[in-house]
Amino acid sequence: LEYMNKITKGGLIKKSLNIALAGTGVGKSLFMCHCAATNLSQGKNVLYITMEMAEEKIAERIDANLLNVTVDELSIRPKDVYDKKISRVKEKTVGKLIIKEYPTASAGSANFRHLLNELRIKRNFTPDVIYIDYVNICLSDRINNASDSYLYVKSICEELRGLAQERDLPIVSATQTNRSGLGSSDINMGDVAE
């Protein structure tokens, strides 16, 4: 992340949609969980929207990052050791985390807008960054027919960037490479799925 912050001259900018690109099973969700944990450590409020994995799995990965242990170690630690580590992390971490799970392809920017309003009103929570796991399985609010996958995903991206602009924050998501990108050592836009 330090190198990424150097490349981006200070990190993610507000009003932007940022996409992590990698092959299937490479660790896009792991990357986003790591970034979310880092944001929390920096005192930022994080909203993590998942449509691929269960909320509990995402929370587990973020906890492992915050505690600097593997996910497997989380379940075998004695409760008193775990509680002590959690207390230390709580003292250092002032950012808040909310994880919201939606079924695959059932939610899009309109749903996320509603969620943001609800969180602000009911829980006094406004995120500094939003993670969406992941862009290709979101719902488009403008296009009903997904027969052209390129146009469909393009529409989703435009809607999410609009949400980032409207809420003055960065949104981070992921997409995967197509088959030709899996074996490519130098991935380019032609290697992006859909």
Side-chain angles (χ1 to χ4, degrees):
L1 289 181
E2 290 162 14
Y3 191 68
M4 204 167 116
N5 288 339
K6 184 178 177 182
I7 292 169
T8 58
K9 298 180 180 165
L12 303 176
I13 59 171
K14 292 183 176 187
K15 301 182 180 185
S16 64
L17 175 62
N18 306 273
I19 306 292
L21 170 66
T24 306
V26 171
K28 296 177 293 292
S29 296
L30 282 172
F31 169 74
M32 289 194 294
C33 287
H34 177 73
C35 291
T38 301
N39 292 147
L40 288 167
S41 297
Q42 296 167 336
K44 298 193 182 309
N45 289 337
V46 175
L47 173 60
Y48 198 110
I49 297 169
T50 177
M51 286 180 271
E52 186 174 43
M53 269 189 249
E55 290 176 11
E56 297 79 13
K57 287 290 180 194
I58 296 299
E60 196 174 62
R61 287 179 173 195
I62 292 173
D63 284 352
N65 273 283
L66 289 169
L67 297 172
N68 199 26
V69 298
T70 66
V71 172
D72 293 337
E73 287 178 292
L74 280 178
S75 61
I76 61 171
R77 290 198 175 255
K79 184 170 174 15
D80 60 323
V81 173
Y82 176 81
D83 289 342
K84 282 179 189 173
K85 273 200 142 198
I86 285 289
S87 293
R88 275 186 256 140
V89 168
K90 278 184 182 178
E91 289 171 14
K92 291 189 279 181
T93 306
V94 293
K96 293 180 183 175
L97 170 67
I98 292 185
I99 304 169
K100 174 66 177 167
E101 179 183 353
Y102 290 96
T104 301
S106 69
S109 60
N111 304 90
F112 306 152
R113 254 184 211 88
H114 176 76
L115 174 63
L116 288 166
N117 291 335
E118 188 176 337
L119 290 172
R120 182 179 45 79
I121 293 166
K122 293 181 178 177
R123 297 183 65 181
N124 195 30
F125 176 85
T126 302
D128 297 303
V129 60
I130 300 173
Y131 289 87
I132 301 173
D133 198 356
Y134 63 97
V135 69
N136 297 61
I137 55 177
C138 287
L139 183 68
S140 173
D141 297 325
R142 297 182 302 176
I143 297 178
N144 294 329
N145 183 358
S147 62
D148 183 339
S149 61
Y150 169 78
L151 287 176
Y152 193 74
V153 174
K154 179 180 183 288
S155 177
I156 293 167
C157 289
E158 289 168 351
E159 294 162 17
L160 292 178
R161 181 154 189 278
L163 180 62
Q165 289 174 298
E166 178 186 306
R167 299 297 172 132
D168 192 31
L169 50 70
I171 294 178
V172 180
S173 191
T175 192
Q176 42 193 56
T177 60
N178 57 23
R179 286 191 184 116
S180 66
L182 285 174
S184 179
S185 62
D186 191 17
I187 295 172
N188 62 45
M189 289 304 289
D191 296 319
V192 178
E194 299 161 336

